[in-house]
Amino acid sequence: MTEQNYDLDNAMHDLLALEEQLNTVLVGQQGLIRQLLIAVFAGGHVLLEGLPGLGKTQLAKAIAASIDIDLGRVQCTPDLLPADITGSEILLGGNTSTGELQFRPGPVFANLVLVDEINRATPRTQAALLEAMQEKQVTYGGRRHVLPDPFWVIATQNPIELEGTYPLPEAQLDRFICKLSIQYPAADSLDALLNTSLDQEPVDKLQPVWSIEQARKLLVAGQEVILARDVRAGAINLVLSTQPESESASLAAKEHVRYGASPRALLSLVRAARVRALFEGRAHVAFEDLAELAHPVLRHRILLHTGSELEGNTAESVLDQVIAEWSAAHNLARTIQE
Amino acid sequence: MGRVVIVGNSNARMLDQFLRAVRRRIWYVRALDGAGIAAWYAVALLLLLGAIHRFFFSLTMTTVISIIVIPILLLLARVLLRRPALRECAVRADQEFRGLSLITTAAECADNTDPHDTFASRTVLLQGENAARSWLPEVSTRFRGASSRATILAVIPLFVALVLLYLPGADNQYADVAATAGTTKSKVVDAADDPIQPEDDVATLRNILANEARTEVSTDSVQQRIDSLVAVTPKQVDITAAMPDKSELPEDATVQAGVAGATQTNGDLPGKAIARPEPRNDSMGPAPDFSSREIIALQRTGRDFSGVANSAANYSALNLWENNMPRKIQPAASPESLSQWTILSRSQAEHARRYLTESGNAND
């Protein structure tokens, strides 16, 4: 079996094995875990939004433990400095110092960085993550420090505590491939949680199911997934339908949206769709992949009119309408609903 | 998309066969849908034309057919000539079979002539082949178009439209019949499309008589011919009964005679209303100007041409005229024309009487 064959033959099985392990840690969040893995193996960063105590940190830890990669963690507070994230230069040698400075990497130098409550950090500190997330490097003191490969950021934020927080600017939001929301688990999931997590953390018992090499292969495997011309056109049309100035703009976008999704959103959407196809055991992207991932990929990338928000519309509700129009145009409504 | 080609080790023939089957099916369904649309279109047009025919002006059947058939043929031709592309068929197949874009992608992979095909493309092509093989038998039952029930419903308005077209047109619906009670329009259900013109009647009758005289046909033969006509025409029996008595009429009134009266009596056209014409003066008709030979020919028929109320004479002349007319005489000529004809007959009779009297005196 060649390496290329491995990518498509075993990618689905490896992904499903990882997903199964994560489901034992975070009970009752199958959909969230699937979307999180899709985002991660599409090579993107994830913004997790949810109330405290829903297992965001546990999930990040579980991923790191399952793939056997380094986990860096940053707990954001208003007094957090950029150097606390990226690292800083220290004077070597103490009292016998020769005056030579050495760069000490910060927590961002890990394969997986968990940035807890990112909206509590000041904009200056948040901006320090920009370069790391986009360029996968840190520049300090005029020197460029490359981040490890693979590099993922999973940031969390609390949607209810707004006092003393600094909402992420749109430019930074756009760097997250997906924005996922964690919901309360159902009763049976809570019952299962008591069984698995009452006496010990399940994360502590996790064994790696992958090596980091396998994770890198899987990242490349997604690039092999075929995107047909019609599906490609559908993805473009979906992104354009969120832009109110576009000729392809949907009625909902024209009415409610102030700024639509960016070209980066298109890239994110297609990358995520390719990984979802791998999850489904396909070597090609389908329209259904695009429709399924439109919400997590686009929800943080569209900005509504103030008046529309005051009327009670949200990005989610507007996206619902946009996707419904798009699906109807591609005759997908029946398939998605069923 | 051109012809599907074989890529790598995969055999794309099944995919090609599947796509062509889908294309045929889509084409067929579109043609059916087009026929359904054409049917509704035709019915709507028929309703419109029926309303126009009934309430505005009469339309001939040729006009109706040409108005309907030509655009329908154009519509159907457009549907039949637009063959769907294979690429479009692949997308439709995915939608119909919930193929998750497998056929679309496989068809694109099959069409890709790049020799450096990837493992993924071979995989997709293989999956597409398998899917095509399993879905091919179902193609004939899929891709349903618009419901045929909607097309069947077109029968109802079609019936209404045909009824409208069957009824007489607006031009024939009202005859300006001067009723005895006044001048209100009376409805004549089956009025003639082409009313007989009195001038034509005179000319025709004259021509007949002139021809008879010119060809030196014996008056006996004319007599025999008229007798035979009267004998074979069952209407004649009723003619007399249908004729009003002379005493019932005003002095100058004319009497309806001929085919119209026979029609009424026979009841061929129920509901037919025949209005009594207004009293006419003899001077209203054109002055007859028969030659002596013509009058003699008529005289020798043995009929009394002078008695207007004598329907037998009138009918004989009319029958003679009727059977020599090149066109078929409508059974319900307008009352006006009939009265004119009757007046002419009376005038002719008076003229003939005077001529005969004078010639008799002269002979004496």
Side-chain angles (χ1 to χ4, degrees), chain A residues 19-91:
Chain A
E19 185 183 36
E20 187 180 356
Q21 178 151 305
L22 294 179
N23 280 329
T24 63
V25 175
L26 198 64
V27 182
Q29 301 284 0
Q30 288 86 350
L32 172 78
I33 290 171
R34 170 67 66 93
Q35 290 182 340
L36 181 67
L37 289 178
I38 287 172
V40 164
F41 289 101
H45 312 290
V46 181
L47 179 62
L48 275 177
E49 190 173 77
L51 297 170
L54 290 178
K56 299 186 290 289
T57 306
Q58 291 294 316
L59 183 59
K61 281 183 179 177
I63 291 176
S66 300
I67 308 179
D68 196 17
I69 54 176
D70 297 332
L71 175 66
R73 182 175 179 184
V74 179
Q75 183 64 50
C76 293
T77 57
D79 58 353
L80 186 72
L81 296 175
D84 297 332
I85 296 175
T86 59
S88 59
E89 290 181 334
I90 59 170
L91 197 61

Side-chain angles (χ1 to χ4, degrees), chain A residues 4-5 8-9 224 226 228-231 281-288 330-331 334 338, chain B residues 1 87 91 95-96 98-102 104-105 108-109 111 118-121 123-124 127:
Chain A
Q4 191 181 44
N5 289 3
L8 291 175
D9 281 348
E224 298 293 324
I226 299 173
R229 281 172 296 193
D230 290 294
V231 183
R282 285 183 274 113
H284 65 278
V285 178
F287 282 103
E288 286 77 3
H330 292 86
N331 201 17
R334 186 180 62 180
E338 292 175 0
Chain B
M1 182 184 295
R87 184 176 167 184
V91 175
Q95 292 170 352
E96 184 66 27
R98 300 183 195 176
L100 295 171
S101 304
L102 175 60
T104 305
T105 312
E108 188 174 315
C109 291
D111 204 27
T118 63
F119 177 76
S121 68
T123 303
V124 168
Q127 290 176 341

Side-chain angles (χ1 to χ4, degrees), chain B residues 67-83:
Chain B
I67 288 175
I68 291 174
V69 167
I70 292 173
I72 288 175
L73 287 179
L74 288 175
L75 176 68
L76 287 177
R78 182 174 175 272
V79 170
L80 292 175
L81 293 177
R82 282 187 61 194
R83 196 170 68 158

Side-chain angles (χ1 to χ4, degrees), chain A residues 241-244 246-257 318 321-322 325-326:
Chain A
S241 65
T242 66
Q243 299 174 357
S246 167
E247 290 181 359
S248 307
S250 63
L251 295 176
K254 286 178 181 173
E255 187 177 353
H256 301 294
V257 177
V318 173
Q321 299 173 48
V322 170
E325 286 183 40
W326 178 84

